[in-house]
Structure formats: structure tokens, C-alpha cells
Amino acid sequence: MSTAILLNAEGRRIENRYPAVDSETPILHGSCVQVPLERLQESVGAGAELALLLPNTAAIAALLPLPAAVTSVHLQFPGFADGRAYSQATLLRRSGFAGQIRAMGAAVVVDQLRMMRRCGITEFALHHPEELTAAETLLQQAEVQFYQPDSTSLGFVLGSSRNP
Amino acid sequence: MYRYDSYDQALVDARVAEFRDQTQRHLAGELSADEFRHLRLRNGLYIQRFAPMLRVAIPYGLLSSQQLRMLAQIAERYDKGYGHFTTRQNIQYNWPQLKDVPDILADLATVQMHAIQTSGNCIRNITTDHLAGVAADELCDPRPYCELTRQWATFHPEFNWLPRKFKLAFSSSKSDRAATAVHDIGIHIIDSATGERGYRVFVGGGLGRTPIIGQVIRDFLPEADLLSYCEAILRVYNLHGRRDNLYKARIKITVKEMGLAAFKAKVEAEWDIIKDGPLKVSAEQLGYFKGHFAAPDYLSAEQADDGQSTVQALAQPAFAAWLKRNVQAHARPGYAVVFVSLKARGVAPGDITAEQMRAVASLADTHSFGQIRATHNQNLVLADVCRKDLYNVWQALSAQGLATPNIGLLTDVICCPGLDFCSLSNASSIAVAEEIFDRFESLDYQYDIGDIKLNMSGCMNGCGHHTVGHIGILGVDKKGEEWYQLTLGGSSGSSASLGDRTGPSFERSEVVGAIETIIQTYLDQRQGPDEDFLACYQRIGMPAFKAALYPEARA
């Protein structure tokens, strides 16, 4: 995963600031790491900056409020058809979480990026590296206005909402 | 009718471009078949038994004549000259070529049509009563609410990858003509005891392998809360619906396994948080949608009806027969609702040629304010015809083979495409439908039988709604052969029920004879011609039918 190509919501390459740690590695004070849910408490206690890696079965409500040490949440899209993390992202944003949300997994493909972004996802670990150029182009394009409110601050055009 | 402005058009145009790009990448080998499959389904494109099938959306069944003409043109240009109306008020083409589909979508976009979310595990077409706006028994026109919900559902970013497909239907009449009881969410528009407008919300209905009648999740939901409540249901389903087993993935199973109370608790907890957010439907918002469905400029009763149709009927029995079966009352005096029967002898139920489509479009322009409805029984409706024009309309429809006077009768079957088109099917449902048509050809016989819904599906997926047919026919595969299971007493109306199995299944050569036995039993047992098939079955139950169908069992 550390070799995955990462793009932000604006379509720019970014570096991975959160190397993953296995269940054994001690977490050092002042470090910046990606941790699974089981190590969250321990990592906060250790004084690290964290990306929280969540399974797509994790209930978001039970995790709120997230500790301030969590500056990024990494969500999983394990299969093309498994859309649970879209709801997880939406719930995170609704809770006021202002950090990064990263999409990881097999469904992080150019054809799903726009909808991921609309759910509040701000980083994409591209599953097909060869899609890099297409993904950059797509994310950099101006977006149409959609019908329904979403987790971005773009205006929506459901019915009379389109009339200012 | 809802007309697009630049915002709606921009969305459809963007999707046309996106899908064209995806198709090109796929044909160039850059997009895998598996990934492309998920994307093409969300644009209505199935790869089917012999050819791709394209399902075009007809939101809540409403079409303009211009749109119907375009559907005719597409049938001619890209298909074999015909289309097929479905049980969800959409239209399907059975023979487009994959490489042409981006062009078809582009053509559709020029008349404000599309194939968005007509397949795949997402929110599908919103359907409603084919008499919306003209039914005397409706509380209000459900279509503004349908359009409001359609916009909320279209390109919803969170609900595009659900555990399974998701279908909503609206009804606003005492008599439910939209089969809301067998939808994932069924919505009845009602007034509370204190006269406040709102909804009774049903959840977890559905057909297929495990047919279930929907349950009331909310007895009364205020008008403004429609979208937030639907959002809460969808969010709970998206998070908790089963993803491990395709046959247990519909919301009906989620509700069953969780229990309605527990499911409702989750929905209401979520809804409580979001109900006052941006999804709350303001009066302005409702006014916007209702404004698109204002009543047309009706003539007065005296202008619309010269009383001549009664005279003409006396002179022409064929016209009289058509008036009796294919014309229904309109809420406004002087007007009538005309059904265009797509159940003619020798034609697959629901099929219509390009020429017929154009004829109907012309009739709509001249006689029905330029609009046509598709019914979930796979017929069409011209909803606003002046009674003084009925004779002319009948003649024009007859010339096109669209006036078979069988609406609501035995040969007005709901029938899936079956073996001829569908790789899932066990049965040649169209051939069986034709044989039924032949056996029951006599219209006098059909009139005597009266109102009856015969629904046929080629497999357990139930696209022909067999489980809610008064008589249901289900094609099953028994050791590689076509057999047919029969059910009796199903209903998709206001007291919805699932049909009861008669017993062992019937061979292909026996099935139509079995139908005849069932009909004869009904005729023998009914209390009089006023007791229709369903009422008779509800009174006497299965025993007499079973005895007649399986005489050897009595020995």
C-alpha cells in the first residue's frame, strides 16, 4: 500500500504521510502512522498523529468523537459493488470531522472517484496505477451541479434549490 | 409534465459523455469486463441471451409524444423495429449493439430521456398509478412527489452500490394501482386524522425467490419529511444489508432478519439527526414540483362530450366492446381514460412496433394533450380523451392492432420476456401466453370470466409478477425440461397477498389445459357473474381447484 499512487480531491499527487504499522511495532511519540481500530487507544496514548484504518463494517457513531490525534480516516472499498464506505464517509463528515478521508481498495477506480469525492472523501489510493492520468484529468475538471445535497459545499439543484 | 431546464440537461449530457468514454475504454481493452458490467448496468445495459438489452427510463411512466417518437426512431435505427414496455413502466430494447449504445443514449438525451439507474444495485425507476392526475379516487396527483424523489435518487453519491436493487412506488388512491405493497419502499400519500398531508410508508416488499408483502414502518410521516426519511432507510440498508449472499441482499430480507422494530429503531434514530437538514421539503420546493403537473386546459363537459359515443356503440358491437373494457372513467366529466392494449393475439405481451408508437404519439397530440402513460401491466394509456372523440380514437387504434378489447381480462397478461430473450429463464413464457390467447380467443368467453389478472414469469426472479397474480404461472426447470408451477389468489392491489401453490407443477403441454380447468372451476363455483375470480378464490379457497387439477390424487 505504501507504493500506491495517491491523489487528492483536486487531482494532485500527494505523498503518504501515514505508513502502516503491524500489530507488533511500537508507536513512537510524535510519529505519524496509520493504525487499525484495535490500536487506536494505545496510539493516542503514545502521542502520535494518526490515520485510522477502518473496516467497512465499522459503526461510525460508536467512534465519535474521534480523538484529535486522528487527522485522517482511511476507509475501505474492497469490492467494486460494496458501497458501505460511502455511508461511512458521509457520516464522518456529518459529525464535523475536518481531517482527510482516504479511499483505499479495489473500487478506487477512476469511474468511482467523483461520487467518492461527493461523499467527503479527499484522498484516493488509485487501485489501477495506469489510470493516473485519467484520474488527474477527471478530478481537475469542473464538476456539474447535482440534484441532491452531499458532503461537499457545492450547491445542489434539487427542484427549487436551483433558483437562488 | 416535468420539463428539463439547463441543470437537468447538464446532468444527462454529462452522463452520456461519461458512458461513451467508458464504452470506448472497454472496447479498447482498457476497462475490464467486470468493472464495465457494473457501469453499464447503471446505464440500463444488460448483456443478454442473444444480444444486449437496453432498458430506458420512463419516470413514473409518463411520456411526451415527442419522446415516444424518439423511442420509435431508436427502435428503427438501432433495433429490430420494436420495443417492449415493462412492469416498472420502462421500455426495453432487445437488440441494440453495444457499440451503438452511447449514440442511443445521446439521442435519448435530446428528448430529455436516459437509461440512468434502470439496472444495477442502486435506486431504480420511481413508479406510480397510471391514472395519476385523472383518477377520481386519488387524494392528489402523486407525480410531483415522484419527480421530487426521482431527483433525490438520481446520481445519489452514497447509494449507487447498494447490497441489491432498490425500487420505490407511490400511490395516492384508496385503490392501489401501483403495486406499492411489493416494493422496497412503498409510499401512500394520505391525510392524517387532523387533515395534515403526509405519507404512510411501507418497507421491505418484493417479489422474486422470497416474495414478501411490505410492512408499515411509519403510519404517518409529515409531508416535508419524505426525502430525509427515505435517506434514513437507504443509509441503514446500505450499511446493514447483507453483502455475503445475493439471494438475501434485498431490504425485505434485512427487515425480516433484523425484525421490523429493530430496523425501524435504526431508521428513526438516523432520521432524527437529519430530518431538519437540507433534505427537508419546503413549501416552495413542493410548489416547484406541483407547478410542473398543473391540470391541462380541459374543455367543459358540454364541449368534451356530444353524447354520440353511446349511439355509435349501439351501432357497432366492436366499438361497444372496446368502450366497455378499454375505456375507464375520468375525474372530469366529458373526459375518458383510454387504454392502448399491447396484448394482441400473436404479439408478445407489452411489445409495440415503431409504427404503432408513432400512431399513439399522433393520437396523443390530437386527443390527449401530447402525453402518454405506460402502465405496470405493460399497456399504454391516453389519459385525457374527450368522450366525443372516442370513436375516432378507437378506429385509429384498431387500424394499428392496438384496440384488442381485453384490458383487465384473461388475455391482458403480465408476462416476462422469457426464454426467447432472457438467459435466466426456464420457460418460453411468450409461447405459453400465445397459447393462452388462442385457447381463450373468444372474447365473449373472456367477458364472462370477467376481471382477472394472469401473471407469468419464466423464472423465480418473478419479473412477470406471478406471485401477485390472481392466477400466477411460474416456469421451472425440472430435469432440463420446461415445467410450470401455478398459484392462485395473489393480488398487488390494496389488500395485497401472495398466491398459493396449487400443487405439483405441469408439463408444457398441460399448462394451458390446467389454466382452462382453473377457469372452469371458477365458473362452476362462483356465486354469480358479479363475483370475480379473486373474490371467489378468497371465499372458497384451494380445495375445489386442487381437486379439479389433480383428479388422480383423490383415489
Side-chain angles (χ1 to χ4, degrees):
Chain A
M1 260 297 111
S2 56
T3 54
I5 295 179
L6 284 180
L7 291 179
N8 67 12
E10 290 73 44
R12 312 286 170 207
R13 295 284 302 268
I14 56 175
E15 291 304 305
N16 179 24
R17 294 181 53 236
Y18 307 90
V21 293
D22 61 29
S23 51
E24 309 292 305
T25 314
I27 294 176
L28 306 175
H29 181 88
S31 67
C32 195
V33 287
Q34 179 208 68
V35 293
L37 196 47
E38 312 84 75
R39 299 197 74 183
L40 176 60
Q41 213 171 346
E42 167 206 344
S43 322
V44 172
E49 185 188 343
L50 304 171
L52 178 59
L53 177 66
L54 290 179
N56 70 355
T57 48
I60 298 297
L63 301 172
L64 302 173
L66 286 170
V70 175
T71 54
S72 186
V73 177
H74 293 185
L75 298 178
Q76 309 208 48
F77 293 82
F80 210 87
D82 187 340
R84 283 177 278 196
Y86 283 95
S87 287
Q88 289 181 314
T90 301
L91 292 171
L92 277 168
R93 286 302 177 209
R94 185 172 82 200
S95 77
F97 177 68
Q100 302 298 330
I101 301 179
R102 182 181 300 179
M104 306 170 60
V108 187
V109 299
V110 67
D111 300 290
Q112 294 207 28
L113 300 183
R114 287 166 78 205
M115 294 304 181
M116 287 176 176
R117 182 166 62 181
R118 289 184 64 207
C119 287
I121 289 164
T122 49
E123 294 179 354
F124 307 97
L126 277 194
H127 186 65
H128 300 304
E130 63 273 21
E131 285 186 345
L132 173 60
T133 309
E136 284 171 326
T137 309
L138 180 131
L139 291 169
Q140 288 169 21
Q141 264 166 17
E143 187 58 284
V144 290
Q145 287 189 280
F146 289 92
Y147 283 126
Q148 61 284 108
D150 59 26
S151 300
T152 66
S153 53
L154 290 174
F156 59 97
V157 294
L158 191 150
S160 60
S161 304
R162 66 191 65 186
N163 304 320
Chain B
M1 175 158 189
Y2 188 77
R3 307 282 183 188
Y4 286 5
D5 63 15
S6 59
Y7 291 105
D8 310 285
Q9 192 67 47
L11 283 166
V12 171
D13 291 342
R15 174 50 74 93
V16 169
E18 187 184 43
F19 186 69
R20 187 180 293 284
D21 173 68
Q22 290 163 348
T23 304
Q24 276 166 3
R25 285 160 50 215
H26 172 63
L27 290 174
E30 292 161 18
L31 185 56
S32 73
D34 190 56
E35 284 187 19
F36 183 63
R37 181 175 69 86
H38 292 289
L39 301 169
R40 63 170 165 78
L41 286 174
R42 283 156 183 77
N43 290 283
L45 185 58
Y46 287 83
I47 301 300
Q48 260 301 350
R49 197 181 169 88
F50 298 113
M53 182 192 80
L54 180 65
R55 180 180 296 147
V56 175
I58 302 176
Y60 38 91
L62 185 59
L63 278 168
S64 71
S65 54
Q66 184 197 30
Q67 292 174 329
L68 186 53
R69 285 192 183 91
M70 176 56 79
L71 294 177
Q73 183 179 292
I74 289 170
E76 280 171 341
R77 197 172 283 177
Y78 301 106
D79 202 285
K80 295 192 176 182
Y82 70 97
H84 173 81
F85 281 95
T86 78
T87 54
R88 299 213 75 245
Q89 299 180 301
N90 292 318
I91 188 170
Q92 284 169 181
Y93 294 103
N94 293 313
W95 307 98
Q97 295 202 46
L98 172 55
K99 66 175 175 57
D100 289 335
V101 173
D103 288 339
I104 297 174
L105 297 184
D107 286 353
L108 287 169
T110 65
V111 293
Q112 307 185 0
M113 295 187 82
H114 58 76
I116 294 162
Q117 292 171 216
T118 56
S119 189
N121 295 335
C122 53
I123 304 172
R124 304 285 192 88
N125 191 25
I126 317 273
T127 54
T128 194
D129 178 5
H130 52 274
L131 300 180
V134 299
D137 69 341
E138 74 177 14
L139 177 66
C140 65
D141 189 339
R143 294 171 301 174
Y145 301 87
C146 292
E147 178 59 28
L148 168 70
T149 310
R150 183 192 77 85
Q151 292 192 10
W152 162 80
T154 302
F155 299 139
H156 197 303
E158 192 182 340
F159 303 137
N160 202 30
W161 305 99
L162 298 171
R164 204 64 181 93
K165 63 179 105 171
F166 205 93
K167 301 177 179 178
L168 287 91
F170 281 80
S171 172
S172 63
S173 310
K174 281 206 180 62
S175 175
D176 181 356
R177 289 177 288 270
T180 61
V182 289
H183 276 75
D184 299 285
I185 292 179
I187 297 167
H188 291 188
I189 306 170
I190 59 172
D191 279 344
S192 72
T194 51
E196 187 193 341
R197 183 62 42 90
Y199 323 92
R200 180 168 295 124
V201 184
F202 296 77
V203 74
L207 302 175
R209 266 150 227 274
T210 39
I212 299 178
I213 303 292
Q215 301 178 71
V216 176
I217 184 173
R218 181 94 183 180
D219 218 20
F220 184 77
L221 180 71
E223 193 178 37
D225 297 324
L226 177 62
L227 299 185
S228 58
Y229 204 81
C230 287
E231 178 120 334
I233 293 174
L234 264 299
R235 186 160 293 139
V236 171
Y237 174 57
N238 191 44
L239 287 168
H240 298 288
R242 287 183 67 165
R243 303 238 179 206
D244 61 310
N245 183 340
L246 201 63
Y247 302 122
K248 302 218 175 255
R250 293 290 288 272
I251 195 173
K252 63 188 178 187
I253 303 299
T254 314
V255 172
K256 195 156 174 265
E257 291 186 342
M258 229 186 246
L260 179 65
F263 182 82
K264 176 174 173 159
K266 279 198 182 338
V267 169
E268 299 259 336
E270 171 64 21
W271 177 61
D272 217 50
I273 299 171
I274 63 176
K275 64 188 177 190
D276 293 318
L279 285 174
K280 200 167 187 110
V281 183
S282 64
E284 189 196 351
Q285 191 68 281
L286 275 167
Y288 174 91
F289 287 103
K290 288 182 181 176
H292 282 91
F293 294 94
D297 282 326
Y298 287 118
L299 301 175
S300 71
E302 299 74 41
Q303 294 168 317
D305 187 4
D306 57 9
Q308 285 305 298
S309 55
T310 330
V311 175
Q312 288 148 341
L314 287 171
Q316 289 213 253
F319 175 55
W322 179 82
L323 272 181
K324 185 163 194 263
R325 294 309 318 183
N326 293 23
V327 176
Q328 291 183 9
H330 192 291
R332 284 194 75 99
Y335 279 83
V337 177
V338 169
F339 283 74
V340 178
S341 173
L342 302 185
K343 315 290 176 74
R345 180 152 180 216
V347 178
D351 277 9
I352 182 170
T353 65
E355 187 189 343
Q356 289 172 323
M357 287 191 236
R358 289 202 178 91
V360 174
S362 292
L363 284 171
D365 280 337
T366 313
H367 296 293
S368 200
F369 301 106
Q371 293 183 16
I372 306 99
R373 294 115 183 271
T375 81
H376 88 267
N377 290 340
Q378 306 174 285
N379 291 309
L380 298 178
V381 163
L382 296 167
D384 294 298
V385 179
C386 291
R387 296 202 73 96
K388 68 177 168 57
D389 297 328
L390 285 173
Y391 187 76
N392 292 343
V393 170
W394 170 66
Q395 288 195 304
L397 288 173
S398 295
Q400 287 292 335
L402 297 170
T404 312
N406 63 353
I407 298 300
L409 297 179
L410 190 71
T411 52
D412 184 11
V413 298
I414 295 185
C415 183
C416 78
L419 260 183
D420 293 320
F421 294 102
C422 179
S423 46
L424 300 168
S425 181
N426 298 313
S428 42
S429 44
I430 293 177
V432 174
E434 282 188 12
E435 197 184 322
I436 290 172
F437 219 110
D438 285 346
R439 191 76 70 97
F440 292 89
E441 192 193 348
S442 156
L443 281 169
D444 285 338
Y445 188 27
Q446 287 188 56
Y447 295 148
D448 190 31
I449 298 166
D451 286 326
I452 186 166
K453 290 195 201 300
L454 174 63
N455 296 0
M456 178 161 25
S457 302
C459 79
M460 289 189 78
N461 288 306
C463 301
H465 290 199
H466 63 282
T467 37
V468 288
H470 301 161
I471 301 178
I473 306 177
L474 168 63
V476 294
D477 178 83
K478 222 156 105 163
K479 299 170 202 168
E481 291 171 359
E482 262 178 65
W483 286 67
Y484 293 83
Q485 235 174 61
L486 301 183
T487 55
L488 302 180
S491 169
S492 65
S494 306
S495 314
S497 57
L498 304 175
D500 304 315
R501 271 193 63 189
T502 60
S505 53
F506 294 88
E507 285 183 278
R508 171 70 182 86
S509 57
E510 294 175 327
V511 63
V512 179
I515 300 295
E516 203 163 16
T517 301
I518 290 169
I519 295 297
Q520 195 53 54
T521 307
Y522 154 66
L523 292 172
D524 291 340
Q525 297 284 334
R526 69 182 180 183
Q527 280 179 333
D530 287 339
E531 187 180 51
D532 66 26
F533 182 89
L534 182 63
C536 179
Y537 180 79
Q538 286 168 345
R539 179 174 58 85
I540 72 173
M542 187 61 84
F545 294 98
K546 204 175 178 87
L549 285 169
Y550 309 103
E552 307 85 46
R554 292 165 62 132

